[in-house]
Amino acid sequence: MAIENSDATFASINLDNPSYPEVLEGRAIVINHDIDEVIRKLLAEQKG
């Protein structure tokens, strides 16, 4: 989907091997971390 939508940003959160399709270079966010921790931190920041 992100490939077809030029306004989209692709996100990959993976502890072992975060990656993205080469065609999305410049439109990808890659986080090398445990997704559970990432989501918990994002939710905590959102709550204030």
Side-chain angles (χ1 to χ4, degrees):
M1 279 185 109
I3 292 171
E4 297 165 358
N5 182 348
S6 62
D7 292 327
T9 300
F10 179 87
S12 174
I13 304 171
N14 191 304
L15 185 58
D16 297 324
N17 185 25
S19 61
Y20 59 91
E22 193 172 312
V23 69
L24 293 175
E25 180 75 35
R27 296 193 299 136
I29 298 168
V30 180
I31 300 172
N32 185 15
H33 208 72
D34 178 47
I35 192 167
D36 182 61
E37 267 189 59
V38 171
I39 290 172
R40 288 178 190 275
K41 287 180 181 180
L42 288 172
L43 289 173
E45 285 182 25
Q46 185 179 26
K47 289 180 182 177

